[in-house]
Structures are given as C-alpha cells and as structure tokens.
Amino acid sequence: DTGVSQDPRHKITKRGQNVTFRCDPISEHNRLYWYRQTLGQGPEFLTYFQNEAQLEKSRLLSDRFSAERPKGSFSTLEIQRTEQGDSAMYLCASSLIRFQTGADTQYFGPGTRLTVL
Amino acid sequence: GQQVMQIPQYQHVQEGEDFTTYCNSSTTLSNIQWYKQRPGGHPVFLIQLVKSGEVKKQKRLTFQFGEAKKNSSLHITATQTTDVGTYFCNYGGSQGNLIFGKGTKLSVKP
C-alpha cells in the first residue's frame, strides 16, 4: 500500500498524559498536513510542513501541541498534558506541490482516533 | 474573511433518486475541491475545479464551477447505497491547507 499511513489507529489515554502520533506520507510528496476532526464537523487545519520545514501553525495548535518532520519524510504530532477536549480524530494528509494555484490535491491517511478519559 | 457555505447540511434520499449539494462563497475562489468521507472513514479526494464554468463528470457524479467562481455543485444521478457519506467542498487557505466546512451528509435508503 503506497498511501498515507498513520499509527496508531486508536489511542485511549488518561487526562494529563502525553501522546505521540506518527504519519508516513506518500513517498514522493513534499507537503504534509495535520488536521483535527471532531464528530459532525469537517477537518480543521492544525499545521503543515514543506519538506522538513514547518511553515504554518493554526491558532488551534496550543503550546501543548508540537509537530516535527525531522528528515522531510514521516512526521510526528505530540500532545502534552492531554485534556478531554483533545479527544478527536487526528488526520494526516500529504501532497506534491508542483505549482502555486491555491490548494493542492491532498491525500489523507486513515487517522488516529484519540480518546482522553 | 472568506466564507464558503455548503447546503444542505443533511440529505436523505431513496435509492435511485438524484442528489445535489451546493457550495457558495462570498468571494471569488481560485479553485475548489470536492472530497467524500464515508462513515468512519477519512476524506477522499474526488475532483478539483479550476476554470470558470468548468463541468466535470465522473460516472454518475457531475461537478460544476460557477462562471464567477463563487459557487460550485455536485450532482449525483440515481444514488446508490455506496454513495452514503459526507461530501465536502473545500478551498485553499493562505497556507495551502484546505478549509473544510461541515459538508453535506447524504444518507440513502435502499
């Protein structure tokens, strides 16, 4: 399977614990995005990378959230001191930027569903 | 700021009936993309529309981009139970991210 993969698929944690999610994008893609989706809502943008550089972070991404893409390949999203409000599906998407015409085609992974008890 | 509204929020149809969802923007869009998310699944890219007045077809799905590039529609002919899911129209944010609305949730009664 050469699509976007995410690990783990499900995570249950207690409030106050730290969690880390991993995303492996499609291999030739240079952009990687993180989104968060809660029930009944569309995905909300969190942050994105072009190669290894983190180019933008949403105001939704509090100081407890950090993301890395150390070698421009896979990415990790860490949430420190989790809160119940962090419970959501965390989606990763990747794309290949060829030219700037606005949004490019993004391919989503299956997501990591986080439940904070 | 730029806002895109999608209607209806929910649509229930009998299998075989047609279905249409509409996106309307307050400002001109450079492009618009459509995604489908099945229940419990992740968004899957359907199509991107770039040109004014563009019409594209994928089997039973017809996508249109308005002449003013402020509205778009997705029409499904003769719905099937496999069409169930939420359909999102998205446009690009300033960082290249996709701006999702709430989408249109389609249910199909067999």
Side-chain angles (χ1 to χ4, degrees):
Chain A
D1 190 335
T2 57
V4 178
S5 61
Q6 292 187 245
D7 183 70
R9 295 290 303 276
H10 303 273
K11 178 70 177 179
I12 300 174
T13 191
K14 292 183 179 179
R15 189 176 53 185
Q17 298 294 305
N18 300 342
V19 295
T20 300
F21 310 140
R22 176 178 171 128
C23 171
D24 286 90
I26 294 172
S27 60
E28 66 269 23
H29 283 185
N30 53 8
R31 278 202 175 178
L32 187 149
Y33 297 80
W34 285 99
Y35 293 84
R36 181 175 67 188
Q37 186 175 26
T38 53
L39 197 63
Q41 304 295 318
E44 296 174 297
F45 168 71
L46 293 178
T47 188
Y48 90 104
F49 295 83
Q50 183 151 321
N51 300 313
E52 66 275 8
Q54 187 173 14
L55 297 188
E56 191 63 37
K57 293 193 294 185
S58 162
R59 59 181 173 77
L60 295 174
L61 211 66
S62 75
D63 292 344
R64 298 183 297 105
F65 288 70
S66 62
E68 294 182 343
R69 195 184 183 197
K71 296 183 180 179
S73 56
F74 73 92
S75 176
T76 57
L77 177 68
E78 181 183 15
I79 308 174
Q80 295 182 327
R81 304 181 304 282
T82 52
E83 302 172 356
Q84 288 184 327
D86 297 331
S87 295
M89 175 75 84
Y90 289 84
L91 292 162
C92 174
S94 72
S95 68
L96 177 64
I97 284 286
R98 291 192 176 92
F99 53 88
Q100 287 290 351
T101 55
D104 51 293
T105 300
Q106 296 181 21
Y107 296 88
F108 284 80
T112 295
R113 182 169 295 285
L114 172 66
T115 302
V116 181
L117 303 176
Chain B
Q2 192 170 54
Q3 288 191 353
V4 173
M5 301 299 294
Q6 190 172 353
I7 56 170
Q9 193 169 346
Y10 302 95
Q11 185 76 57
H12 310 282
V13 299
Q14 189 76 37
E15 189 173 21
E17 291 181 340
D18 292 355
F19 159 76
T20 305
T21 175
Y22 301 90
C23 272
N24 297 295
S25 171
S26 56
T27 57
T28 301
L29 301 171
S30 59
N31 67 73
I32 198 160
Q33 301 191 12
W34 287 89
Y35 283 73
K36 175 185 178 182
Q37 186 171 22
R38 293 179 183 273
H42 57 276
V44 174
F45 174 76
L46 294 177
I47 208 156
Q48 175 172 287
L49 304 172
V50 179
K51 299 177 183 176
S52 169
E54 190 169 18
V55 178
K56 288 188 176 180
K57 292 190 176 184
Q58 291 179 352
K59 297 182 180 178
R60 295 179 294 104
L61 278 60
T62 302
F63 303 85
Q64 290 188 310
F65 202 11
E67 293 290 341
K69 301 180 73 173
K70 287 186 175 183
N71 55 71
S72 181
S73 65
L74 159 59
H75 180 82
I76 302 178
T77 303
T79 54
Q80 300 175 359
T81 54
T82 53
D83 296 325
V84 164
T86 301
Y87 293 84
F88 294 99
C89 64
N90 311 318
Y91 65 97
S94 57
Q95 295 84 38
N97 57 296
L98 293 170
I99 310 293
F100 285 79
K102 292 186 176 182
T104 295
K105 187 174 182 179
L106 172 66
S107 60
V108 179
K109 186 176 181 181

